Amino acid sequence: MVTEIPPTPHTSSVTATPSPVHHRPRPPARRRARLLLTLCATASLLAVPAQGTALAKEGGGEGRKVLTVAVSQSVDSLSPFLAQRLVSTTVHRLTYEYLTNYDVRDGRAIPGLATAWKSSPDKLTWTYTIRENSTWSDGRPVTAADASWTFNKMMTDEKAATANGSFTANFRRVTAPDPRTLVIELKKPQATMTALDVPIVPRHLWEKVGDFSTFNNDKRFPVVGNGPYVVTDFKVDQYVRLRPNKNFWRGAPKFDELVLKYYKDGDAAVAALRKGEVSFVQGLTPAQASSLKSAENIKVNDAPGRRFFALAVNPGARSKDGKTFGSGHKALLDPAVRKALFHATDRRTIVEKVFRGHAAEGEGYIPPRFSSYFFKPGANQVIDYDPAQAAALLDRAGYRKNGSGKRVGKDGRPLDFRILCHATDPNDKAVGKYLQEWWGELGIGLTIDCLDNVSDPWLKGDYDLAFDGWSVNPDPDFVLSIHTCAALPATPRDTGSTDNFICDRRFDELYARQSGEYDPAKRAELVKQMQSRLYDTGFMNVLVYPNAVEAYRTDQIKSITTMPEAAGNIWGQDGYWSWWSAVPAAGDGGSGGGSATGVVIGAVAAGVLAAALGVFVVVRRRSTVEDRE
């Protein structure tokens, strides 16, 4: 039974103005281990092991309820100041409270560590009331001083701003006049002040840290936090173990332990699900989902996704100091070549043949699930599948076929491109094969570089194209910020928060306007203009919006929260609802915890998503190699 948690009551204590407060995903860390995309379809396969697994026994105690999530990416850091990968930020969602959370029904801001917030008339000063019933897992009270210290550290230490620095870039001053009051002063209005996705850490421990660029917070356990879970153990490329925080203000989770176990192979995780060694699997391929529908005690959840899957073109890697680097093919700097590649890519075939209908055709940068910001190119703007038009564009631009049928430029260099591919992602590989065929008919060669780690060549600019993707949450700011000039690395030796080295002045102007726009309709229009600009420049070609295809064992999980409540997903939510609310099938299991009313979402959730989500955000997961958040 897939259920949802009753939303937090919307009381008058939340005094934030009814502005378009949107959740912004964790920005790609500046040093960005470049969580290159693995497309949401397989990028982070999850599974929850049965009660009797080896890991469960290691913890000791018969009859303990252990929820094991098998993930397909390894943790990059247990430091919330450095972590960029989805699995890592998931751990931090469970371990630390943020100022605000997101309603399970519609994604709007609700109380988290802050119980109320309000802004000054000019929107330049925001005051948050910090809750009194939150304590660190070592027994110390959580105060406004912890939040103030967290933000100030990011503002004053570049190394501490690696993962979330974009949230504080516009902060002028942050103070804690008393234990229950946090005040943030801004340089200019910022529309994301109730969507600050920054884990608040305990000052009394973190102020002892020296070099934030090397401290991974993985040597001493348990890790002190104030979220629903406490990290008790961690082994690189093996697992993260967490136990319920019995003092969590919403109530403790009902499972006795949560284990995130690393699986490099998705088929192995599905096999574990069938055996009952795993309870939940995410990122299923169409074939896997089809085979599981008739399996006993297994339910498949197929919901409209919050991700996009795209082709990213190397626009010429560069840094803020004006230097260029990398080995990107110069022909891709020609708009005609990029547009020709668009015209030679059949999105409908990708939806039907690769995703077998478990996806929607790509259009704008934001998935249709977020209706307020969804962009559709106009009739005179759309670049549809038209191989003849693609060939004509290349001919006119001077890239004609030679005697052997190869396209060559005026410099005689053939149009032979490389595309970065996630080695463990079957969707990357399948789409790559189609591109080889379609582009080959135009006389363009394509080498598919499927690597375990695409981060290194991506950061160095040593690629021509790459499969790219992000999960989107309720606020547009983050997913847009990764394409601004400010996100570029300072020098070729550094790593910025940029997604793909895009730096376009028109895009930057629109970004600056939307970030300070509080009127929902006006902001939505600006966001659509930004997507239009991305579409026209041709550096990002959104191919599809994959569904969230998941499966779980009904004999092990009695109920678990989906988000949103109508045809929602379980893995990769905005918040900690799924793993906090999960109820063991055999009895109540565990103590405390919030209630979970039983709204069943059928075996394959049909698809009408709550359009109420009006605002979105990028859950910073650039599904590429190391699987961005």
Side-chain angles (χ1 to χ4, degrees):
M1 176 185 296
V2 178
T3 65
E4 22 201 277
I5 44 182
T8 299
H10 302 120
T11 66
S12 57
S13 65
V14 179
T15 55
T17 55
S19 57
V21 220
H22 318 298
H23 165 177
R24 158 186 193 170
R26 326 175 47 82
R30 246 199 323 249
R31 56 178 226 170
R32 150 199 212 185
R34 190 148 238 279
L35 310 162
L36 276 160
L37 145 148
T38 297
L39 159 73
C40 121
T42 49
S44 107
L45 206 74
L46 285 179
V48 180
Q51 288 108 283
T53 64
L55 279 175
K57 293 177 181 177
E58 287 176 20
E62 291 298 324
R64 295 173 67 254
K65 308 299 183 183
V66 180
L67 182 61
T68 301
V69 175
V71 296
S72 63
Q73 63 172 180
S74 57
V75 171
D76 54 342
S77 178
L78 286 182
S79 165
F81 295 96
L82 299 178
Q84 308 170 76
R85 299 180 189 172
L86 179 58
V87 65
S88 308
T89 56
T90 295
V91 171
H92 293 139
R93 276 272 182 203
L94 296 169
T95 307
Y96 305 100
E97 275 274 55
Y98 299 6
L99 288 181
T100 59
N101 209 324
Y102 303 96
D103 191 289
V104 72
R105 298 174 304 180
D106 56 17
R108 68 167 166 168
I110 60 173
L113 179 58
T115 59
W117 49 87
K118 61 183 178 181
S119 68
S120 59
D122 62 5
K123 309 295 186 191
L124 293 178
T125 300
W126 285 76
T127 302
Y128 301 82
T129 301
I130 303 301
R131 67 173 57 255
E132 297 183 8
N133 59 337
S134 180
T135 59
W136 297 113
S137 52
D138 63 0
R140 298 274 291 262
V142 181
T143 70
D146 293 303
S148 176
W149 184 89
T150 300
F151 290 125
N152 275 293
K153 187 62 180 178
M154 293 165 58
M155 294 163 61
T156 57
D157 185 342
E158 185 174 333
K159 297 174 181 178
T162 299
N164 300 309
S166 63
F167 288 116
T168 60
N170 183 43
F171 287 11
R172 182 185 301 279
R173 186 165 172 256
V174 181
T175 57
D178 63 63
R180 298 296 156 216
T181 305
L182 176 72
V183 179
I184 300 178
E185 299 174 37
L186 305 173
K187 299 172 186 176
K188 58 184 178 181
Q190 181 172 317
T192 59
M193 294 306 290
T194 54
L196 298 175
D197 279 1
V198 176
I200 304 303
V201 302
R203 174 180 179 174
H204 64 281
L205 296 177
W206 282 86
E207 65 183 356
K208 300 174 184 176
V209 175
D211 187 349
F212 273 70
S213 68
T214 60
F215 182 73
N216 284 309
N217 197 30
D218 57 2
K219 303 302 180 187
R220 298 184 62 182
F221 298 97
V223 173
V224 175
N226 65 331
Y229 282 93
V230 175
V231 178
T232 59
D233 195 11
F234 167 62
K235 291 291 186 295
V236 177
D237 290 342
Q238 294 185 46
Y239 61 81
V240 180
R241 300 175 67 138
L242 307 95
R243 63 169 169 76
N245 179 359
K246 300 299 183 181
N247 297 320
F248 184 52
W249 67 272
R250 286 187 189 275
K254 291 181 170 62
F255 275 87
D256 298 315
E257 186 175 36
L258 172 66
V259 179
L260 306 186
K261 185 179 180 182
Y262 177 65
Y263 277 81
K264 184 176 181 179
D265 183 78
D267 287 334
V270 172
L273 180 76
R274 289 182 177 278
K275 296 175 184 176
E277 298 171 351
V278 159
S279 302
F280 177 89
V281 174
Q282 178 269 346
L284 296 172
T285 65
Q288 290 169 339
S290 178
S291 70
L292 290 173
K293 286 181 181 177
S294 59
E296 185 178 3
N297 296 323
I298 293 177
K299 187 177 290 269
V300 176
N301 183 46
D302 189 350
R306 49 192 291 245
R307 295 184 50 71
F308 66 80
F309 175 44
L311 283 179
V313 177
N314 186 341
R318 52 186 155 169
S319 50
K320 291 178 184 176
D321 61 6
K323 296 180 180 178
T324 59
F325 54 94
S327 58
H329 200 299
K330 301 300 182 186
L332 290 171
L333 301 181
D334 188 335
V337 175
R338 299 196 299 271
K339 190 171 184 179
L341 296 182
F342 259 86
H343 275 304
T345 301
D346 188 353
R347 296 176 183 79
R348 180 169 299 178
T349 292
I350 292 174
V351 169
E352 295 175 352
K353 301 297 185 180
V354 177
F355 290 88
R356 304 296 177 87
H358 298 277
E361 282 187 53
E363 294 180 286
Y365 193 56
I366 307 305
R369 168 169 170 170
F370 308 103
S371 57
S372 294
Y373 293 103
F374 180 57
F375 162 77
K376 290 178 67 68
N380 297 325
Q381 181 185 23
V382 65
I383 307 174
D384 54 7
Y385 180 56
D386 189 341
Q389 178 64 13
L393 280 168
L394 293 172
D395 287 339
R396 288 197 296 269
Y399 300 92
R400 297 183 177 276
K401 288 185 177 181
N402 60 19
S404 60
K406 291 286 296 183
R407 293 274 176 182
V408 295
K410 295 176 183 178
D411 59 0
R413 185 181 180 185
L415 295 189
D416 285 330
F417 301 135
R418 305 157 296 172
I419 185 167
L420 286 174
C421 156
H422 193 301
T424 60
D425 191 338
N427 295 299
D428 280 17
K429 297 175 183 177
V431 173
K433 293 294 185 182
Y434 276 106
L435 295 179
Q436 281 183 320
E437 177 184 340
W438 295 328
W439 296 359
E441 292 174 356
L442 286 176
I444 297 174
L446 181 65
T447 299
I448 305 173
D449 293 332
C450 290
L451 308 173
D452 287 331
N453 175 8
V454 301
S455 293
D456 290 342
W458 194 310
L459 287 171
K460 294 176 182 177
D462 290 331
Y463 67 100
D464 300 323
L465 303 106
F467 289 111
D468 195 5
W470 290 82
S471 291
V472 179
N473 311 326
D475 186 277
D477 188 82
F478 173 74
V479 70
L480 301 173
S481 72
I482 58 180
H483 294 308
T484 61
C485 299
L488 294 175
T491 72
R493 295 186 302 276
D494 298 312
T495 54
S497 57
T498 181
D499 174 58
N500 192 43
F501 299 104
I502 293 175
C503 177
D504 179 75
R505 297 302 174 188
R506 175 57 180 160
F507 185 88
D508 274 19
E509 292 170 3
L510 291 168
Y511 174 77
R513 290 173 59 189
Q514 70 79 31
S515 65
E517 180 56 70
Y518 281 81
D519 182 277
K522 291 180 180 178
R523 190 179 186 211
E525 178 56 32
L526 288 168
V527 170
K528 290 177 182 178
Q529 290 180 40
M530 295 179 72
Q531 295 179 75
S532 178
R533 182 63 179 171
L534 278 179
Y535 186 91
D536 290 341
T537 57
F539 290 120
M540 293 294 295
N541 182 353
V542 177
L543 301 177
V544 300
Y545 309 113
N547 285 5
V549 187
E550 314 162 312
Y552 64 95
R553 293 197 64 91
T554 56
D555 57 348
Q556 294 176 20
I557 299 177
K558 178 182 179 181
S559 62
I560 191 168
T561 298
T562 61
M563 184 178 186
E565 58 188 19
N569 53 288
I570 296 172
W571 169 249
Q573 298 178 359
D574 299 310
Y576 41 63
W577 306 122
S578 54
W579 312 121
W580 169 72
S581 68
V583 176
D588 293 333
S591 61
S595 61
T597 42
V599 177
V600 179
I601 300 223
V604 177
V608 91
L609 220 175
L613 219 19
V615 261
F616 73 82
V617 326
V618 172
V619 109
R620 193 195 117 87
R621 184 218 174 220
R622 167 201 182 123
S623 192
T624 66
V625 156
E626 276 138 69
D627 206 351
R628 305 174 129 192
E629 179 185 359

